[in-house]
Amino acid sequence: MTIRKILSIDGGGVKGAYPAAFLASIEQATGKRVVDHFDLIAGTSTGGIIALGLGMGLSAAEILAFYRERAADVFGGAQAGFLQGVKRAAQGLVSSKYSPDGLRGALTDVFGSRRLGESKTRLVIPAFSSRERKVYVFKTAHHPRFEMDLHRYVVDVALATAAAPTYFPAHSIKDVATLIDGGVWANNPTGLAAVEAVGVLKWPGESLRILSIGCTEPLYTCPDDAGLLGVAASVKDLFMQGQSLGALGTAKLLCGHSEVSPRLWRYSQEVEASTYTLDGVAAIEALAGAGATVAREALPTVRAMFLADLVEQFDPYHRLPEVETAV
């Protein structure tokens, strides 16, 4: 039985510095590229950007540098003074807090006009079509019926999966759809990745080995008799917590994970609520330090379970015309 290895990366805005630093530390310690050791990579929102970067051949260190160097451009004014912060918060009550121009510019500088079909591995990147009330998942051509997404610009895929409501406006892709952040239904894409592996790729569940990396977990317990005021400020944390646990449970069931036969490893640090925010640019170094620290502890397991052998080279069912890949 061929062992199939899956990498899943959560969403979380600038908190993506945490999984980026985790992976960068692993690559630095082992001298091995993450992308060469996983059959499938799934990522949502900021995790989707990391997944796309890995698929396009960037090192994890280069992706971490993207957060350090470009986060302030993406969340323009996030470190502004008190009055500017109040103004931006008020703006967020009636429209998106940030223009997508900063994110688009940063992504374009990294990916240019590259297409999803240039990925070196199988990718699964969730988004959501609110207008049609449908999930939308960008996929590489790892199945015969996946013929369209390989032509999508990587920048468009990234802008769609990262269009978090209240932070960025929905992203429209010509002749495709108007999409918002995949985090509204799959902020932790581990379950989605396991479903793709078993349901679409027909890999046996017992063959799967899954590495799931979060962007820290806010500690939150819903009061037993909570009213609207009691949960209003933390409702996002509550829903994200439930979705994440459900995703992990789905993946564990599909791969047959148990304490005596582990097949899923999850790394994410629990922190006090509001320690980190999606646009908290000032916390990037703290997040990177936390990710590197957890990677140090996880290294023996990650090395043994995921980095011992290279995976088979990804051979897509459909390829981009040479004229497109030459652009």
Side-chain angles (χ1 to χ4, degrees):
M1 179 177 64
T2 301
I3 297 300
R4 298 293 188 174
K5 295 176 288 187
I6 298 173
L7 173 61
S8 172
I9 310 168
D10 286 16
V14 298
K15 293 188 289 182
Y18 179 96
F22 180 102
L23 294 172
S25 295
I26 295 294
E27 287 192 339
Q28 181 181 27
T30 63
K32 298 179 179 180
R33 299 195 320 157
V34 167
V35 71
D36 296 330
H37 294 269
F38 287 90
D39 297 282
L40 173 68
I41 301 179
T44 301
S45 194
T46 197
I49 293 174
I50 296 172
L52 289 163
L54 294 172
M56 293 299 123
L58 297 180
S59 68
E62 289 174 315
I63 297 170
L64 178 58
F66 174 82
Y67 285 88
R68 284 173 163 154
E69 297 169 6
R70 303 305 298 268
D73 298 331
V74 173
F75 296 100
Q79 295 177 295
F82 175 76
L83 291 178
Q84 181 63 29
V86 171
K87 180 180 178 180
R88 189 173 295 280
Q91 176 182 327
L93 294 175
V94 295
S95 63
S96 303
K97 290 175 69 175
Y98 301 103
S99 164
D101 294 344
L103 179 57
R104 181 184 292 108
L107 292 169
T108 300
D109 287 345
V110 174
F111 296 121
S113 58
R114 300 187 71 179
R115 313 269 183 155
L116 190 62
E118 297 178 54
S119 177
K120 300 179 182 298
T121 191
R122 301 170 186 84
L123 294 178
V124 174
I125 312 292
F128 185 72
S129 176
S130 181
R131 293 179 181 178
E132 298 180 353
R133 299 191 298 277
K134 292 181 179 179
V135 300
Y136 195 105
V137 185
F138 292 96
K139 301 179 182 183
T140 48
H142 52 260
H143 188 279
R145 64 184 175 87
F146 300 159
E147 301 181 57
M148 302 300 293
D149 288 347
L150 74 160
H151 299 283
R152 307 302 167 214
Y153 289 110
V154 173
V155 170
D156 276 327
V157 177
L159 286 170
T161 192
T166 77
Y167 287 90
F168 295 109
H171 181 63
S172 294
I173 303 176
K174 185 178 180 180
D175 300 325
V176 181
T178 297
L179 302 169
I180 61 175
D181 192 339
V184 302
W185 68 280
N187 195 62
N188 177 345
T190 308
L192 170 64
V195 169
E196 188 76 10
V198 175
V200 176
L201 293 165
K202 304 303 180 184
W203 294 340
E206 61 270 22
S207 74
L208 305 184
R209 302 295 182 267
I210 304 173
L211 176 60
S212 175
I213 310 176
C215 292
T216 73
E217 313 281 349
L219 290 168
Y220 176 72
T221 301
C222 183
D224 292 342
D225 60 346
L228 180 60
L229 292 178
V231 298
S234 302
V235 67
K236 179 174 66 68
D237 290 341
L238 175 63
F239 289 164
M240 290 296 186
Q241 184 181 83
Q243 185 274 320
S244 182
L245 293 172
L248 293 171
T250 297
K252 288 178 179 179
L253 181 65
L254 287 174
C255 72
H257 171 90
S258 68
E259 294 299 321
V260 297
S261 182
R263 291 173 182 149
L264 187 154
W265 289 264
R266 170 76 171 176
Y267 295 101
S268 192
Q269 182 177 351
E270 291 186 337
V271 298
E272 292 295 327
S274 301
T275 300
Y276 304 118
T277 61
L278 270 71
D279 57 352
V281 175
I284 284 181
E285 289 306 322
L287 285 158
T293 299
V294 173
R296 179 175 178 270
E297 300 167 0
L299 179 60
T301 298
V302 173
R303 190 199 302 268
M305 301 309 303
F306 298 97
L307 303 182
D309 301 299
L310 297 172
V311 297
E312 299 173 356
Q313 184 174 353
F314 173 42
D315 184 17
Y317 285 93
H318 310 286
R319 296 182 182 276
L320 291 168
E322 290 185 12
V323 65
E324 287 192 75
T325 58
V327 172

